[in-house]
Amino acid sequence: DTGVSQDPRHKITKRGQNVTFRCDPISEHNRLYWYRQTLGQGPEFLTYFQNEAQLEKSRLLSDRFSAERPKGSFSTLEIQRTEQGDSAMYLCASSHSDSNNQPQHFGDGTRLSIL
Amino acid sequence: AQTVTQSQPEMSVQEAETVTLSCTYDTSENNYYLFWYKQPPSRQMILVIRQEAYKQQNATENRFSVNFQKAAKSFSLKISDSQLGDTAMYFCAFMKPNAGNMLTFGGGTRLMVKP
């Protein structure tokens, strides 16, 4: 069990650029979640996948955000035309759907800074 | 929609002492799960303890225990024999089962354990 892996750990970019983050969940986990955490706050749910299907999207996920999980394994989160307000930690988590009792395991996150 | 409130932004405790972190939540659901997660500085979020709402017995994990008051919608975390490694942000989280299992987090409490 190598845990949830996120890449990159840090991303600095200029406003208006596009960025893409990757998340590799724990291999046997079929659910994958994306959260956003701003400084000093708790994480906020963005979206989740069960296998390759994106089943829920938060209203926080504007049309500049898109997430994919094409083969039901790793996932990518893309932000187009980044804005200052997109600066945050983007957390990925995974779990298995066989029980509601299964906890979510989190990755280290990708910290995005918009200049 | 569910909301989770942590009214203590920061707390400190002397090593070996006991500290209690508060959490209240608002929901119309009868069946749900509650969690405490720990996020050490620059490290990933890890699960500390979980409670199922239909269980009246308070959950315990070694030095960590909860006081779950369902009628009052309160879910506090008690840390006994505090250790320096307990220094972290602590997040209370709510999960409604069978609806994607996404987590709703509180704003967090920063705990500092002093030697």
Side-chain angles (χ1 to χ4, degrees):
Chain A
D1 181 357
T2 57
V4 178
S5 176
Q6 292 189 246
D7 183 69
R9 290 292 305 275
H10 299 95
K11 179 70 177 179
I12 301 172
T13 192
K14 293 182 178 179
R15 187 179 55 186
Q17 298 295 305
N18 298 344
V19 294
T20 300
F21 312 140
R22 176 180 171 124
C23 171
D24 287 87
I26 292 172
S27 57
E28 62 267 27
H29 286 179
N30 61 346
R31 281 187 174 167
L32 186 148
Y33 302 81
W34 285 100
Y35 293 86
R36 182 172 68 189
Q37 184 179 21
T38 52
L39 202 60
Q41 302 296 317
E44 297 172 294
F45 168 76
L46 292 178
T47 188
Y48 97 97
F49 293 83
Q50 181 155 318
N51 301 312
E52 67 276 6
Q54 187 174 18
L55 297 185
E56 184 84 19
K57 291 196 291 186
S58 162
R59 279 173 283 183
L60 292 175
L61 212 66
S62 77
D63 57 5
R64 296 184 298 105
F65 287 69
S66 62
E68 294 183 344
R69 195 184 183 196
K71 297 181 180 179
S73 57
F74 73 91
S75 174
T76 57
L77 177 66
E78 180 183 17
I79 309 174
Q80 296 182 326
R81 305 180 303 281
T82 52
E83 301 174 355
Q84 293 279 355
D86 297 333
S87 294
M89 176 76 85
Y90 290 83
L91 296 171
C92 178
S94 70
S95 70
H96 203 284
S97 63
D98 65 348
S99 167
N100 286 320
N101 201 21
Q102 290 295 320
Q104 293 181 22
H105 297 259
F106 284 82
D108 288 335
T110 293
R111 183 171 295 283
L112 174 64
S113 298
I114 307 297
L115 302 177
Chain B
Q2 289 70 229
T3 59
V4 179
T5 302
Q6 293 179 248
S7 59
Q8 305 151 315
E10 293 185 5
M11 292 193 73
S12 64
V13 63
Q14 292 295 133
E15 197 175 5
E17 297 291 305
T18 295
V19 64
T20 299
L21 308 184
S22 301
C23 173
T24 57
Y25 57 94
D26 188 24
T27 184
S28 57
E29 303 293 329
N30 190 49
N31 184 29
Y32 48 87
Y33 293 78
L34 295 164
F35 304 85
W36 279 97
Y37 277 87
K38 169 185 176 181
Q39 189 177 40
S42 300
R43 295 181 63 185
Q44 65 183 207
M45 188 136 21
I46 56 175
L47 178 67
V48 174
I49 198 165
R50 79 188 93 172
Q51 175 81 40
E52 295 157 28
Y54 64 85
K55 289 188 177 179
Q56 292 188 343
Q57 186 172 6
N58 289 323
T60 299
E61 289 285 344
N62 301 313
R63 298 184 295 108
F64 299 87
S65 61
V66 298
N67 183 4
F68 174 48
Q69 301 288 329
K70 190 173 184 179
K73 296 180 182 174
S74 170
F75 182 60
S76 61
L77 174 69
K78 185 171 83 171
I79 306 174
S80 304
D81 185 25
S82 297
Q83 300 176 0
L84 297 178
D86 295 334
T87 292
M89 283 290 290
Y90 285 83
F91 293 98
C92 177
F94 174 101
M95 186 191 84
K96 173 184 162 184
N98 301 319
N101 291 7
M102 62 281 288
L103 297 168
T104 300
F105 286 88
T109 296
R110 183 179 304 279
L111 176 67
M112 173 76 73
V113 179
K114 298 179 178 179

